[in-house]
Amino acid sequence: MQKLELTWIGKGKEPEVEPRILLRDASKGYGDAESKNMLIHGDNLLALKALEQEYAGKVKCIYSGQ
């Protein structure tokens, strides 16, 4: 049986990223302000680190668009 592995340059050398704090900007709000949904604009890794503690195991969908 052949074993395959997904690999890339730099794999295993992930940068250390400290948790961040998300700040809400009401002027950029959209939709129902009482909703628990969030739209976060910024770097994916930094945003996920900011959400990690409070939302670990609770996130249903992450979309990364450009």
Side-chain angles (χ1 to χ4, degrees):
M1 176 185 265
Q2 185 178 17
K3 183 178 177 181
L4 301 175
E5 178 182 357
L6 181 61
T7 188
W8 55 89
I9 296 171
K11 182 178 179 182
K13 298 178 186 175
E14 290 79 17
E16 287 291 322
V17 179
E18 295 185 18
R20 304 293 174 123
I21 297 173
L22 294 176
L23 300 175
R24 184 172 184 265
D25 184 348
S27 70
K28 295 181 180 177
Y30 178 79
D32 182 8
E34 301 301 316
S35 172
K36 293 182 180 181
N37 297 326
M38 286 188 258
L39 177 62
I40 301 170
H41 179 79
D43 181 270
N44 293 344
L45 180 59
L46 297 178
L48 288 172
K49 285 305 246 182
L51 298 171
E52 185 175 41
Q53 295 296 317
E54 187 174 346
Y55 295 98
K58 300 178 185 177
V59 175
K60 294 181 182 178
C61 178
I62 297 174
Y63 171 76
S64 176
Q66 293 180 358

